[in-house]
Amino acid sequence: SEADLSGADLTRADLNGADLSGADLSGADLRQAILWHVTLNDRTQLDAKWQMVCAIFNERLPRRDLRGADLADAFLSGAALTDAELAGADLRRANLEQAHLSRADLSEADLSGAILVQANLSWANLEGANLTDVNLGGANLTGTRMPEGWTAP
């Protein structure tokens, strides 16, 4: 596409299936943007955080290592993150609605303000995680290890 979108405000943009080959998106604001099935190439300029979000949707990798990753404000609804290593990750305000997080390690992760509605968190580890203002409505918490002293709101 070779488009120059550097520094553009693409907050909440629906880029599902977009061909961003050769596009310059450096410094673009992609908070809560839908990046499913986006096409990138070696000429695409995209901040590392958003490259990671694209990879989560486009590369089905078992046991993805995202320890300490900055995924704040990312749209990860429906993401396949079963067995993922997310210890210490920054997931503040991330949309993880219907995400597949069974057996994921989210220990010490910051999930404050995250949306986990109907997410599958079965057998996940949330010990030490920040769950301030998290929305767990309808989430599967079977066998989930929750932070010490945590009680459902």
Side-chain angles (χ1 to χ4, degrees), residues 37-79:
H37 312 295
V38 170
T39 302
L40 308 175
N41 66 13
D42 57 349
R43 293 183 330 278
T44 305
Q45 296 177 46
L46 184 63
D47 296 347
K49 173 180 183 168
W50 306 117
Q51 287 180 16
M52 189 179 345
V53 172
C54 289
I56 289 169
F57 286 115
N58 295 314
E59 301 167 12
R60 299 290 183 184
L61 299 176
R63 298 204 158 122
R64 187 179 296 276
D65 187 352
L66 297 166
R67 287 176 285 194
D70 175 7
L71 293 167
D73 298 299
F75 183 89
L76 295 167
S77 180

Side-chain angles (χ1 to χ4, degrees), residues 29-41:
D29 186 349
L30 291 161
R31 290 176 295 160
Q32 296 299 325
I34 299 172
L35 298 171
W36 292 336
H37 312 295
V38 170
T39 302
L40 308 175
N41 66 13

Side-chain angles (χ1 to χ4, degrees), residues 10-148:
L10 298 171
T11 305
R12 299 190 191 301
D14 185 350
L15 299 173
N16 185 14
D19 182 357
L20 299 174
S21 301
D24 182 358
L25 290 126
S26 54
D29 186 349
L30 291 161
R31 290 176 295 160
Q32 296 299 325
I34 299 172
L35 298 171
W36 292 336
H37 312 295
V38 170
T39 302
L40 308 175
N41 66 13
D42 57 349
R43 293 183 330 278
T44 305
Q45 296 177 46
L46 184 63
D47 296 347
K49 173 180 183 168
W50 306 117
Q51 287 180 16
M52 189 179 345
V53 172
C54 289
I56 289 169
F57 286 115
N58 295 314
E59 301 167 12
R60 299 290 183 184
L61 299 176
R63 298 204 158 122
R64 187 179 296 276
D65 187 352
L66 297 166
R67 287 176 285 194
D70 175 7
L71 293 167
D73 298 299
F75 183 89
L76 295 167
S77 180
L81 292 166
T82 299
D83 295 311
E85 296 287 342
L86 287 153
D90 183 354
L91 290 156
R92 290 172 297 142
R93 300 171 307 279
N95 184 336
L96 290 152
E97 186 171 348
Q98 298 182 351
H100 305 278
L101 290 156
S102 58
R103 297 180 308 277
D105 182 3
L106 290 148
S107 58
E108 306 297 326
D110 188 349
L111 288 153
S112 55
I115 300 168
L116 288 151
V117 172
Q118 297 181 349
N120 182 357
L121 288 157
S122 59
W123 307 103
N125 179 6
L126 289 159
E127 292 174 336
N130 181 349
L131 299 180
T132 304
D133 297 325
V134 71
N135 185 342
L136 288 164
N140 180 349
L141 299 174
T142 304
T144 304
R145 297 194 329 241
M146 300 303 286
E148 187 174 327

